[in-house]
């Protein structure tokens, strides 16, 4: 059974700092991995999707890497801003014909002005 | 292009009543997924549907819960005889094809009194 873990559960950084969020998964046979952002009381916004054959994806100040063999992904946020404050969720779709996303519990990020 | 729409955004029901949650996928998307987020828990997959077909309902409780995605109209998640433990945020997502990026709606927050 696939399990996704995100560490740390919460993180507080001063504005302008670069930071890394971690995600690990127990079964390396994944199809793809997605990073989402969730604001309080809101839905999820897809940030980046990495296919299992890819090593990384970039969008603006965000860079996500994937090391499938070790079961790890990182989300790097450059030059953090107060507007980046949110909960960041990592989710994987398993291989072998699965369609469902398996989520971690998220990292709650606070960027202090 | 409107995103995934869910209604109602908030729903209050008394124990024993029925709850109906609606989801309209993004235009051009024929794949719909339902997830549940219990308080202090991560999102959990419930069911995956295509038009008029349930593809995977492995995450759906065996009793009281049902889902449909008719040829015309929104997808419906129906909970009969609600109990307090059903209180949660229910999110719908859609994709153009299976296993592609899932786009999430704002969620329906169900409170059972």
């Amino acid at each position: 059974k696939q399990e996704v873990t995100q560490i740390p559960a919460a993180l507080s950084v001063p504005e302008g700092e670069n930071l890394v969020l971690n995600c690990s998964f127990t079964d390396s046979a994944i199809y793809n991995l997605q990073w989402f952002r969730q604001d309080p009381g809101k839905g999820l916004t897809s940030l980046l999707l990495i296919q299992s054959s890819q090593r990384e994806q970039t969008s603006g100040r965000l860079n996500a890497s994937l090391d499938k063999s070790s079961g790890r992904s990182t989300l790097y946020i450059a030059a953090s801003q107060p507007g980046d404050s949110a909960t960041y969720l990592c989710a994987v779709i398993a291989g072998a014909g699965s369609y469902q996303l398996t989520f971690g519990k998220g990292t709650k990020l606070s960027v202090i002005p | 292009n409107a995103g995934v729409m869910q209604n109602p955004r908030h729903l209050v029901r008394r124990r024993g009543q029925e709850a109906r949650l609606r989801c309209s996928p993004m235009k051009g998307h024929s794949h719909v997924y339902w997830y549940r987020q219990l308080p202090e828990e991560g999102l959990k997959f419930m069911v995956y549907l295509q038009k008029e077909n349930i593809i995977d309902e492995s995450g759906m409780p065996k009793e009281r819960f049902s889902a449909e995605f008719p040829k015309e109209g929104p997808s419906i998640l129906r909970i009969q005889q609600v109990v307090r433990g059903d209180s949660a945020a229910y999110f719908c997502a859609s994709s153009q094809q299976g296993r592609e990026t899932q786009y999430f709606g704002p969620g329906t927050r169900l409170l059972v009194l």
Side-chain angles (χ1 to χ4, degrees):
Chain A
K1 178 187 172 187
Q2 179 73 269
E3 291 184 3
V4 178
T5 303
Q6 292 187 246
I7 294 173
L11 180 64
S12 184
V13 300
E15 181 178 0
E17 194 163 292
N18 302 326
L19 60 101
V20 174
L21 307 180
N22 296 295
C23 170
S24 61
F25 44 94
T26 53
D27 187 346
S28 62
I30 63 168
Y31 181 77
N32 63 38
L33 181 147
Q34 259 183 283
W35 282 94
F36 294 89
R37 167 188 174 137
Q38 185 175 25
D39 293 281
K42 302 286 179 62
L44 280 69
T45 301
S46 179
L47 298 173
L48 290 164
L49 180 145
I50 310 178
Q51 300 290 353
S52 62
S53 58
Q54 297 175 320
R55 297 284 292 185
E56 65 178 334
Q57 282 285 344
T58 297
S59 176
R61 295 183 293 109
L62 305 180
N63 175 276
S65 68
L66 174 64
D67 184 344
K68 202 173 77 162
S69 61
S70 67
R72 294 174 190 269
S73 175
T74 61
L75 180 67
Y76 174 82
I77 303 177
S80 58
Q81 303 171 357
D84 294 331
S85 298
T87 296
Y88 290 81
L89 299 169
C90 167
V92 299
I93 290 184
S98 176
Y99 296 88
Q100 57 181 272
L101 286 164
T102 300
F103 282 86
K105 290 187 177 182
T107 294
K108 186 175 182 180
L109 173 66
S110 298
V111 180
I112 312 301
Chain B
N1 186 12
V4 177
M5 299 175 67
Q6 290 187 249
N7 66 78
R9 295 289 304 276
H10 299 273
L11 183 61
V12 180
R13 285 287 179 266
R14 297 193 179 279
R15 281 179 295 169
Q17 292 184 320
E18 178 179 289
R20 280 186 178 239
L21 287 61
R22 295 174 185 78
C23 168
S24 297
M26 286 179 70
K27 188 176 181 181
H29 288 192
S30 59
H31 300 249
V32 166
Y33 315 78
W34 285 92
Y35 294 84
R36 177 166 67 173
Q37 187 173 37
L38 292 166
E40 307 304 321
E41 294 289 327
L43 280 91
K44 303 290 185 188
F45 168 81
M46 298 182 74
V47 62
Y48 163 46
L49 312 102
Q50 295 179 27
K51 284 284 188 181
E52 300 185 279
N53 287 302
I54 297 174
I55 307 301
D56 180 358
E57 57 182 347
S58 59
M60 193 96 95
K62 293 291 186 284
E63 298 179 352
R64 302 187 297 107
F65 285 73
S66 62
E68 63 176 7
F69 189 16
K71 186 176 180 181
E72 301 292 337
S75 176
I76 306 287
L77 179 67
R78 182 184 178 201
I79 311 172
Q80 295 178 292
Q81 299 176 322
V82 296
V83 301
R84 288 207 174 119
D86 296 333
S87 295
Y90 292 82
F91 291 95
C92 167
S94 73
S95 66
Q96 196 166 36
Q97 299 289 339
R99 311 188 97 192
E100 290 187 352
T101 301
Q102 294 182 22
Y103 296 90
F104 281 73
T108 293
R109 277 142 187 93
L110 172 66
L111 176 62
V112 180
L113 302 177

